[in-house]
Amino acid sequence: MPLNSVNTNAGAMVALQSLNRTSDELTSTQKRISTGFRVADAKDDGAAYAVAERVRGEIAATASANEQLGGVKGLLDVTNASLTNVGETLKKLKTIVVKLADQTITADQQSQYQAQAKELTNNIQSFIQDAGYNGKNILDESVSTLANTVVRNGAGVTYSFNGYSALTNVFNGVSAANAWTAGSAAAALTSGGALTTAISNTLTQLNNFGSYSNYIDSQITYNKAKMDAQEGGLGALVDADLAKESAKLQSLQIRQQLGTQALSIANQAPQTLLSLFR
């Protein structure tokens, strides 16, 4: 091909191709800077984008599971608070029942102690009935099932724990304490007696529900750590190096300016050649 031609401007063609490549790179760099992603869509890197979308889905699912676990944590915290108050009240009731078991007290004293016992058992009933969270009470005997299941991770795997009929197994045993005589009060204090059984049942459930709470807390913490690790891996896969891209942007802007000038000079060459024949 002739170096100097009025029909084909080779220099302009080379300059235009170079300018187009620079413009394409500049567009890609601006996209990375504006989105913050090296891989913003499938056009950037189809394989990496597919992996990233799968990981994003897993993160979203795990976050959703943690929301459910958070609700259960609230339910268990309220339940533990209820049982703690029931246990404290049972201790107070025991001190009253010990006095009721004393056959040397007067009838007036007995009546006073029975009145105190009545107030304490009313408190126990209230603590149990008021242990609701978001419309659910796992200490209420009216629940249709004692088994409770919650999703614990993004794969839908569940964790199950049992509720407890505290009205039946704790309150009902001591509900008549206000009518206990010395003999029935003494019987309630024996091993296997009503009060001793109520206290034992409460302590057992405090242990159980405490264990449930610890499991939920540990699972929430683990899920958060897992999501942090997934976010880190996702960032390494698709995030843009903004410092690098910023420097590259400046370089490409300069190249674009020089390319524009080179194209302008190349376009003037045929005009210069034509002027020789005038």
Side-chain angles (χ1 to χ4, degrees):
M1 179 182 295
L3 294 177
N4 297 312
S5 171
V6 295
N7 295 315
T8 303
N9 190 339
M13 292 172 61
V14 171
L16 181 59
Q17 290 174 358
S18 177
L19 182 59
N20 286 338
R21 285 194 297 271
T22 300
S23 295
D24 289 342
E25 290 184 56
L26 186 59
T27 299
S28 297
T29 300
Q30 289 174 327
K31 179 181 178 181
R32 294 188 187 109
I33 290 176
S34 61
T35 63
F37 293 118
R38 180 185 66 82
V39 182
D41 51 48
K43 292 187 297 183
D44 296 328
D45 186 334
Y49 183 75
V51 172
E53 284 299 282
R54 183 177 296 109
V55 174
R56 289 188 181 108
E58 292 174 355
I59 292 172
T62 303
S64 181
N66 252 18
E67 291 175 4
Q68 300 308 113
L69 289 171
V72 172
K73 174 178 169 56
L75 176 62
L76 290 174
D77 286 347
V78 169
T79 301
N80 279 315
S82 170
L83 287 172
T84 298
N85 280 277
V86 169
E88 291 297 320
T89 306
L90 284 172
K91 285 195 298 183
K92 295 177 182 177
L93 180 61
K94 186 173 183 178
T95 63
I96 300 301
V97 173
V98 168
K99 292 180 172 64
L100 282 172
D102 184 354
Q103 296 183 2
T104 65
I105 62 174
T106 65
D108 182 60
Q109 289 175 318
Q110 182 184 52
S111 296
Q112 292 178 9
Y113 292 145
Q114 287 174 335
Q116 292 179 39
K118 179 62 176 177
E119 291 305 312
L120 291 174
T121 55
N122 285 344
N123 283 342
I124 291 171
Q125 184 181 37
S126 297
F127 293 146
I128 294 171
Q129 291 177 333
D130 294 345
Y133 178 86
N134 193 28
K136 189 173 182 64
N137 186 340
I138 53 178
L139 292 179
D140 193 337
E141 64 179 358
S142 65
V143 295
S144 59
T145 175
L146 295 179
N148 297 273
T149 302
V150 61
V151 174
R152 66 178 174 83
N153 61 26
V157 180
T158 59
Y159 170 69
S160 296
F161 60 95
N162 293 325
Y164 186 68
S165 296
L167 287 176
T168 299
N169 296 303
V170 176
F171 170 70
N172 286 352
V174 298
S175 60
N178 62 301
W180 286 348
T181 62
S184 54
L189 292 168
T190 62
S191 176
L195 180 56
T196 302
T197 299
I199 292 173
S200 177
N201 289 346
T202 300
L203 294 176
T204 297
Q205 294 310 311
L206 275 169
N207 178 47
N208 289 342
F209 283 101
S211 297
Y212 302 153
S213 293
N214 286 335
Y215 179 90
I216 295 298
D217 287 342
S218 296
Q219 187 66 39
I220 289 174
T221 300
Y222 169 70
N223 284 347
K224 288 179 179 178
K226 180 180 178 181
M227 287 189 290
D228 288 343
Q230 288 175 316
E231 290 280 4
L234 184 62
L237 180 65
V238 300
D239 284 359
D241 184 339
L242 294 182
K244 177 181 177 181
E245 297 298 335
S246 178
K248 187 175 181 180
L249 177 65
Q250 296 179 14
S251 173
L252 288 171
Q253 288 173 335
I254 294 173
R255 281 174 54 187
Q256 187 181 50
Q257 294 173 1
L258 294 174
T260 302
Q261 293 176 6
L263 180 60
S264 176
I265 293 171
N267 283 333
Q268 292 175 3
Q271 300 298 326
T272 303
L273 187 61
L274 284 173
S275 68
L276 297 175
F277 298 96
R278 293 176 181 171

